[in-house]
Amino acid sequence: MHSDPIADLLTRIRNGVNARMPFVDCPYSRIKVEVVKALEAEGFLKSHEVITEGKFPSLRVHLKYDSRRKPVINSLKRVSKPGLRVYRGSEELRPLRSGLATRVLTTSQGVMTDREARRRHIGGEILCEVY
């Protein structure tokens, strides 16, 4: 059992990118799928699929690289941790790195990126930052 499954997902993606793996597998959960969908919509990941073979389902995340085999993800950082939650309102969600970085938030309306949260004028808990 993991005390922070989202940090486990981000670490697996970070390690897979550093090792130039085509995909990484991790235990399935709905929140992980939503985080992966947000990163996929922003263009940081290629695709994902749920594998139901075996006793427990798993999530397979296909990593994305450019034409020279350099990873699209340069940095992937967990912001809100179980010991210290980080909440921000919509007016506090300023663009990072001139708009090149993306934050993934969990809000009352689901998991979304900071761009989407600013557009909808809602805040939430910042799960991670990626650029």
Side-chain angles (χ1 to χ4, degrees), residues 8-79:
D8 178 58
L9 168 71
L10 298 177
T11 300
R12 287 175 191 244
I13 292 173
R14 192 179 313 112
N15 290 343
V17 163
N18 288 338
R20 305 288 200 271
M21 301 291 290
F23 60 86
V24 292
D25 290 336
C26 65
Y28 171 84
S29 77
R30 289 187 308 242
I31 187 77
K32 290 179 189 178
V33 170
E34 294 301 317
V35 169
V36 167
K37 281 182 184 177
L39 292 175
E40 190 177 320
E42 287 293 313
F44 290 108
L45 298 174
K46 192 185 294 183
S47 64
H48 72 281
E49 59 185 315
V50 177
I51 311 266
T52 56
E53 301 168 2
K55 191 172 181 181
F56 298 105
S58 65
L59 175 65
R60 179 166 287 173
V61 180
H62 296 274
L63 306 175
K64 190 172 182 180
Y65 301 96
D66 66 6
S67 60
R68 292 187 293 180
R69 192 84 175 120
K70 283 189 65 179
V72 174
I73 296 174
N74 293 321
S75 173
L76 188 59
K77 183 178 128 186
R78 177 79 157 122
V79 176

Side-chain angles (χ1 to χ4, degrees), residues 2 6 29 69 77 97 127 130:
H2 298 286
I6 295 172
S29 77
R69 192 84 175 120
K77 183 178 128 186
R97 296 186 175 263
L127 297 177
V130 60

Side-chain angles (χ1 to χ4, degrees), residues 34 38 103-107 109-114 116-118 120 122:
E34 294 301 317
R103 292 185 200 107
V104 177
L105 288 86
T106 179
T107 67
Q109 298 180 11
V111 176
M112 63 184 71
T113 63
D114 58 341
E116 181 72 17
R118 281 193 305 269
R120 293 186 186 187
I122 55 175

